[in-house]
């Protein structure tokens, strides 16, 4: 059974075709800025046509072997329990959640509609970014706002990066000898976006991203947490609309905002190498914001057995891992420098006598999405 997975954000697209009989990847493509892929790409249908052209050029060579399409959809509000086969009702509900994720849900919908047209009759499944985090209890998903706003507008923490957190957690439990009960794990997805999750016995206790992916640790171009009073003050001072404020928080802040140079972690490291003061400041704030989440989750769980590091920055940067680990020394974390300095692959980077195991596990969101597609269709591959 071959599944096309579209892991799409507003401007980037990661897609894979996986053969779920052996979970092998037949085609894999990452496009940073799909709209720059040739001047002919004007809309999602044309962008999807590029994907189709690639599939036709590949060893698959025809589209009829694709049995289903899995879409990463960012927000589901409180509508769905799990991944769902897409029909008109699901499309309407994803649309209704658009104001909760205005950057993402409309783009996800556009991909779904393009697939409906260009892959007629092929079942499509929506796999939601917020899924794994549904196990959070009200004490961890509610904000300390008047309760009526939760009732009226479903304002609450939802959490994101489901596929990444669940994938690395499952890998950890499968490949390392963790206690089966009462295991306490913190998974850190640190890439363009950053989210940290506390997981206890297969249940998410709390996660750093909130109602939107803007909350939490500092990110490439997102601020993460700021005093809400600052936003009101700035909006008044500069006469900003909510949309303009959101734009600043999403795309002009984080590493980019502080350094004034770039939201790309590699550029920040290069700035530090050149002794640029603002790059150094951005790096310090970035690592500290992750440290603060890890520490607070240790406190919430009253301990931690393993910390998992994943996504671009933590998979590829020995410097970032070292800086982070040094700030966890009081927890009893001890870094094995040799393991830390190896090129990316799944491995333990803490020493044998470290009180907490630290593991680097490259994430695989597309495989998780494909698995969800198979499960939701009730198919035995
Ligand atoms: P996401 O899945 O959150 O969109 P990625 O996992 O693709 O993000 O991670 C992208 C981030 O990883 C970028 O900030 C990039 O600079 C960083 N990155 C990629 N390679 C390296 C590297 N060799 N050293 C340091 N940072 C890296």
């Amino acid at each position: 059974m071959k599944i096309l997975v579209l892991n799409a954000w507003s401007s980037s697209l990661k897609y894979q075709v996986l053969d779920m009989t052996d979970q092998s990847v037949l085609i894999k493509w990452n496009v940073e800025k799909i709209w720059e892929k040739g001047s002919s790409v004007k809309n999602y249908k044309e962008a999807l046509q590029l994907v189709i052209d690639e599939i036709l050029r590949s060893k698959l060579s025809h589209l009829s072997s694709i049995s289903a399409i899995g879409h990463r959809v960012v927000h589901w509000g409180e509508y769905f329990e799990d991944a769902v086969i897409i029909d008109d009702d699901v499309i309407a509900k994803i649309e209704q959640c658009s104001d909760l994720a205005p950057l993402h849900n409309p783009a996800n919908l556009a991909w779904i509609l393009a697939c409906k047209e260009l892959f007629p009759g092929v079942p499509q499944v929506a796999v939601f970014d917020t899924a794994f985090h549904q196990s959070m209890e009200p004490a961890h998903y509610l904000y300390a706002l008047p309760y009526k706003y939760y009732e009226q507008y479903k304002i609450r923490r939802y959490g994101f990066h489901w596929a990444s957190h669940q994938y690395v957690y499952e890998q950890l439990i499968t490949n390392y000898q963790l206690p089966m009960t009462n295991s306490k794990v913190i998974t850190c997805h640190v890439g363009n976006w950053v989210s940290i999750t506390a997981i206890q016995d297969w249940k998410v206790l709390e996660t750093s991203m909130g109602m939107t992916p803007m909350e939490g640790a500092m990110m490439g171009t997102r601020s993460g947490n700021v005093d809400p009073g600052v936003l009101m003050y700035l909006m008044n001072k500069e006469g900003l609309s909510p949309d303009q404020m959101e734009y600043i928080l999403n795309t002009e802040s984080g590493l980019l905002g502080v350094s004034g140079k770039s939201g790309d972690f590699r550029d920040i490291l290069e700035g530090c190498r050149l002794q640029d003061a603002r790059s150094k400041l951005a790096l310090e704030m970035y690592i500290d914001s992750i440290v603060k989440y890890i520490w607070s989750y240790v406190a919430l769980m009253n301990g931690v057995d393993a910390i998992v590091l994943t996504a671009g920055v933590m998979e590829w940067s020995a410097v970032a891992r070292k800086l982070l680990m040094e700030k966890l020394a009081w927890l009893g974390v001890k870094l094995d420098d040799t393991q830390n300095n190896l090129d990316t692959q799944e491995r333990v980077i803490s020493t044998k006598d470290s009180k907490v195991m630290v593991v680097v596990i490259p994430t695989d969101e597309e495989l998780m999405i494909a698995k969800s597609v198979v499960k939701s269709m009730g198919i035995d591959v």
Side-chain angles (χ1 to χ4, degrees), residues 207-229:
T207 188
S208 61
M209 284 180 164
M211 182 177 95
T212 73
M214 283 195 281
E215 192 186 351
M218 179 173 162
M219 312 180 206
T221 61
R222 286 188 187 138
S223 61
N225 294 343
V226 280
D227 173 358

Short mmCIF file of all heavy atoms in Angstrom, two decimals, residues 207-229:
data_model
loop_
_atom_site.label_atom_id
_atom_site.label_comp_id
_atom_site.label_asym_id
_atom_site.label_seq_id
_atom_site.Cartn_x
_atom_site.Cartn_y
_atom_site.Cartn_z
N THR A 207 2.62 20.65 27.03
CA THR A 207 3.48 20.96 25.89
C THR A 207 3.58 22.48 25.75
O THR A 207 2.69 23.20 26.18
CB THR A 207 2.95 20.28 24.60
OG1 THR A 207 3.90 20.46 23.56
CG2 THR A 207 1.61 20.85 24.16
N SER A 208 4.69 22.93 25.17
CA SER A 208 4.98 24.37 25.24
C SER A 208 4.16 25.22 24.29
O SER A 208 3.86 26.38 24.59
CB SER A 208 6.47 24.62 25.01
OG SER A 208 6.85 24.18 23.72
N MET A 209 3.80 24.70 23.12
CA MET A 209 2.98 25.50 22.21
C MET A 209 1.54 25.50 22.71
O MET A 209 1.10 24.55 23.36
CB MET A 209 3.08 24.98 20.79
CG MET A 209 4.38 25.36 20.10
SD MET A 209 4.44 24.71 18.43
CE MET A 209 5.77 25.69 17.74
N GLY A 210 0.79 26.52 22.38
CA GLY A 210 -0.49 26.69 23.02
C GLY A 210 -1.68 26.58 22.11
O GLY A 210 -1.82 25.61 21.36
N MET A 211 -2.56 27.58 22.16
CA MET A 211 -3.71 27.61 21.25
C MET A 211 -3.21 27.80 19.83
O MET A 211 -3.80 27.32 18.87
CB MET A 211 -4.65 28.74 21.62
CG MET A 211 -5.87 28.77 20.73
SD MET A 211 -7.06 30.02 21.17
CE MET A 211 -6.60 31.33 20.08
N THR A 212 -2.10 28.53 19.71
CA THR A 212 -1.45 28.70 18.42
C THR A 212 0.01 28.27 18.59
O THR A 212 0.50 28.15 19.71
CB THR A 212 -1.46 30.18 17.97
OG1 THR A 212 -0.51 30.90 18.77
CG2 THR A 212 -2.83 30.81 18.12
N PRO A 213 0.72 28.07 17.47
CA PRO A 213 2.13 27.67 17.60
C PRO A 213 3.03 28.83 18.01
O PRO A 213 4.25 28.70 17.97
CB PRO A 213 2.49 27.18 16.18
CG PRO A 213 1.23 27.11 15.41
CD PRO A 213 0.26 28.05 16.07
N MET A 214 2.44 29.96 18.42
CA MET A 214 3.28 31.10 18.80
C MET A 214 3.77 31.02 20.23
O MET A 214 4.77 31.62 20.59
CB MET A 214 2.50 32.41 18.62
CG MET A 214 2.39 32.84 17.18
SD MET A 214 1.87 34.54 17.02
CE MET A 214 0.15 34.42 17.30
N GLU A 215 3.03 30.27 21.08
CA GLU A 215 3.44 30.22 22.48
C GLU A 215 4.65 29.31 22.67
O GLU A 215 4.94 28.46 21.84
CB GLU A 215 2.28 29.68 23.34
CG GLU A 215 2.52 29.85 24.84
CD GLU A 215 1.46 29.19 25.71
OE1 GLU A 215 0.43 28.73 25.20
OE2 GLU A 215 1.69 29.15 26.93
N GLY A 216 5.36 29.54 23.74
CA GLY A 216 6.41 28.60 24.13
C GLY A 216 7.80 29.18 24.06
O GLY A 216 7.99 30.38 24.31
N ALA A 217 8.74 28.33 23.71
CA ALA A 217 10.15 28.74 23.68
C ALA A 217 10.38 29.66 22.48
O ALA A 217 9.60 29.70 21.53
CB ALA A 217 11.04 27.51 23.59
N MET A 218 11.51 30.37 22.54
CA MET A 218 11.90 31.25 21.42
C MET A 218 12.19 30.39 20.17
O MET A 218 12.71 29.29 20.28
CB MET A 218 13.17 31.98 21.87
CG MET A 218 13.76 32.92 20.90
SD MET A 218 15.12 33.77 21.80
CE MET A 218 16.05 34.41 20.44
N MET A 219 11.84 30.90 19.01
CA MET A 219 12.03 30.12 17.77
C MET A 219 12.81 30.94 16.74
O MET A 219 13.29 32.02 17.05
CB MET A 219 10.68 29.71 17.20
CG MET A 219 9.78 29.11 18.26
SD MET A 219 8.18 28.58 17.68
CE MET A 219 7.25 28.70 19.22
N GLY A 220 12.89 30.41 15.52
CA GLY A 220 13.64 31.09 14.47
C GLY A 220 13.15 32.51 14.23
O GLY A 220 13.90 33.48 14.34
N THR A 221 11.85 32.63 13.90
CA THR A 221 11.28 33.97 13.66
C THR A 221 10.11 34.27 14.58
O THR A 221 9.46 35.29 14.44
CB THR A 221 10.81 34.13 12.20
OG1 THR A 221 9.78 33.15 11.95
CG2 THR A 221 11.96 33.93 11.22
N ARG A 222 9.80 33.34 15.49
CA ARG A 222 8.70 33.58 16.43
C ARG A 222 9.25 33.91 17.81
O ARG A 222 10.24 33.32 18.24
CB ARG A 222 7.82 32.33 16.57
CG ARG A 222 6.94 32.07 15.40
CD ARG A 222 5.99 30.93 15.72
NE ARG A 222 5.25 30.57 14.53
CZ ARG A 222 5.00 29.31 14.17
NH1 ARG A 222 5.43 28.31 14.91
NH2 ARG A 222 4.31 29.06 13.09
N SER A 223 8.51 34.79 18.48
CA SER A 223 8.99 35.25 19.80
C SER A 223 8.89 34.17 20.86
O SER A 223 9.67 34.15 21.79
CB SER A 223 8.14 36.43 20.24
OG SER A 223 6.79 36.02 20.35
N GLY A 224 7.89 33.26 20.74
CA GLY A 224 7.57 32.45 21.92
C GLY A 224 6.93 33.37 22.95
O GLY A 224 6.37 34.42 22.60
N ASN A 225 7.01 32.98 24.23
CA ASN A 225 6.33 33.75 25.28
C ASN A 225 6.81 35.18 25.40
O ASN A 225 8.00 35.43 25.41
CB ASN A 225 6.56 33.08 26.64
CG ASN A 225 5.90 31.72 26.70
OD1 ASN A 225 5.04 31.42 25.88
ND2 ASN A 225 6.30 30.91 27.65
N VAL A 226 5.85 36.10 25.47
CA VAL A 226 6.16 37.48 25.86
C VAL A 226 5.06 37.94 26.81
O VAL A 226 3.95 37.41 26.77
CB VAL A 226 6.18 38.48 24.68
CG1 VAL A 226 7.47 38.43 23.91
CG2 VAL A 226 5.01 38.29 23.74
N ASP A 227 5.36 38.89 27.63
CA ASP A 227 4.36 39.47 28.51
C ASP A 227 3.21 40.00 27.63
O ASP A 227 3.46 40.84 26.75
CB ASP A 227 5.03 40.62 29.29
CG ASP A 227 4.04 41.42 30.13
OD1 ASP A 227 2.82 41.13 30.09
OD2 ASP A 227 4.50 42.35 30.82
N PRO A 228 1.96 39.54 27.85
CA PRO A 228 0.85 40.04 27.01
C PRO A 228 0.72 41.55 27.08
O PRO A 228 0.25 42.19 26.12
CB PRO A 228 -0.39 39.36 27.60
CG PRO A 228 0.11 38.28 28.47
CD PRO A 228 1.53 38.57 28.85
N GLY A 229 1.15 42.14 28.20
CA GLY A 229 1.09 43.59 28.34
C GLY A 229 1.93 44.30 27.28
O GLY A 229 1.59 45.40 26.82
#
